[in-house]
Amino acid sequence: MHRGTFITLEGAEGCGKTTQIDLLAGYLRNKNFNVLVTREPGGTRIGDEVRNILLNPELKEMNYRTEVLLYTASRAQLVSEIIAPALEEGKMVLSDRYIDSTFAYQGFGRGLPLSKLIDINRWATQDINPDLTILLYFPTEDGLKRATVKKTDRMEQEDIEFHRRVQDGFLNLAQLYPDRYQVIDAAGSEEEVHKKILKVLEEFLW
Ligand code: TMP
């Protein structure tokens, strides 16, 4: 059992996770928490190299199993190099995506068997699971459509159907793991969403 607290932010493309994680980290640091922020894929030297392969729009021939293994490889490195030591030191770790992104994108999006993805990830992460997972969810399709018009990286090039399956997949995961999941409406201003996240966090921490 680790001593720190492990919080992950998840959501479909463009749900505002990155902005929200920065706001949350700022808030927690003000309250004197020892916070470490990280992101996936990437967050380490090796992970950043893997990220470049994963998101390269030219690598269209990537097999789905290869995709799973690369995302999970980046995660294995992140856990062993950064997350596990930080939790051992009692830090509060905030991660922009983690295992649930593989379950949602490769499981629900690509249609790969969830049980296999859970097994591979259990091994790769040394069974380190989040204590709290905050899902930023768009209640309507508008956000999802806006988010998928960029089409700059390999995953963003997938069609709206794929991203709809991912978004629905996250909701399924929230039902599968009710103990650690909190779903937050991602529509609304940055400040409004931030306040909703703080409410969830305060209930979780105190
Ligand atoms: P980002 O846009 O949040 O930086 O994430 C990069 C992309 O990788 C995004 O489209 C989600 C996708 N992804 C997966 O498909 N599986 C995973 O396990 C992770 C961590 C991300």
Side-chain angles (χ1 to χ4, degrees):
M1 220 21 215
H2 53 74
R3 286 188 293 120
T5 306
F6 185 22
I7 299 174
T8 58
L9 255 80
E10 297 279 4
E13 237 54 43
C15 64
K17 280 179 293 91
T18 311
T19 310
Q20 290 302 331
I21 221 163
D22 287 347
L23 290 172
L24 184 58
Y27 169 88
L28 288 166
R29 285 186 180 125
N30 260 336
K31 300 248 174 225
N32 289 324
F33 282 95
N34 195 345
V35 179
L36 183 131
V37 178
T38 189
R39 71 150 180 191
E40 283 207 15
T44 63
R45 231 152 49 108
I46 292 170
D48 287 341
E49 299 265 355
V50 175
R51 180 183 176 92
N52 290 337
I53 299 174
L54 277 165
L55 300 185
N56 182 343
E58 286 172 19
L59 299 179
K60 295 190 198 310
E61 72 276 28
M62 190 179 297
N63 177 270
Y64 292 170
R65 292 174 195 224
T66 310
E67 186 176 280
V68 168
L69 293 171
L70 287 175
Y71 277 114
T72 310
S74 166
R75 182 167 305 132
Q77 187 65 29
L78 183 66
V79 168
S80 66
E81 197 180 316
I82 309 275
I83 295 179
L87 291 173
E88 283 306 315
E89 287 165 21
K91 290 188 179 153
M92 178 169 286
V93 177
L94 305 182
S95 186
D96 184 342
R97 299 195 182 282
Y98 193 59
I99 46 175
D100 299 279
S101 280
T102 298
F103 303 159
Y105 282 80
Q106 282 66 51
F108 290 90
R110 300 294 196 210
L112 297 177
L114 203 54
S115 57
K116 182 66 82 185
L117 302 180
I118 291 171
D119 271 0
I120 294 171
N121 271 276
R122 193 171 279 159
W123 181 73
T125 61
Q126 305 166 41
D127 229 343
I128 293 183
N129 290 313
D131 301 302
L132 171 68
T133 298
I134 299 173
L135 171 61
L136 297 184
Y137 180 77
F138 290 122
T140 67
E141 289 246 313
D142 298 356
L144 212 54
K145 280 189 191 133
R146 259 201 317 278
T148 49
V149 291
K150 276 198 301 168
K151 293 195 181 302
T152 48
D153 72 38
R154 202 176 56 83
M155 301 304 285
E156 285 166 351
Q157 287 179 337
E158 291 298 331
D159 58 18
I160 184 94
E161 292 301 328
F162 174 83
H163 290 285
R164 197 177 287 137
R165 286 198 299 280
V166 169
Q167 161 130 305
D168 290 347
F170 274 121
L171 280 188
N172 272 285
L173 291 165
Q175 284 176 352
L176 205 61
Y177 300 110
D179 292 349
R180 68 173 165 91
Y181 254 90
Q182 289 289 339
V183 183
I184 286 183
D185 181 347
S189 69
E190 280 175 9
E191 194 49 36
E192 281 163 2
V193 178
H194 177 56
K195 281 193 182 134
K196 288 184 203 164
I197 292 179
L198 289 190
K199 192 159 174 279
V200 160
L201 191 80
E202 274 160 13
E203 275 164 21
F204 169 77
L205 290 177
W206 293 293

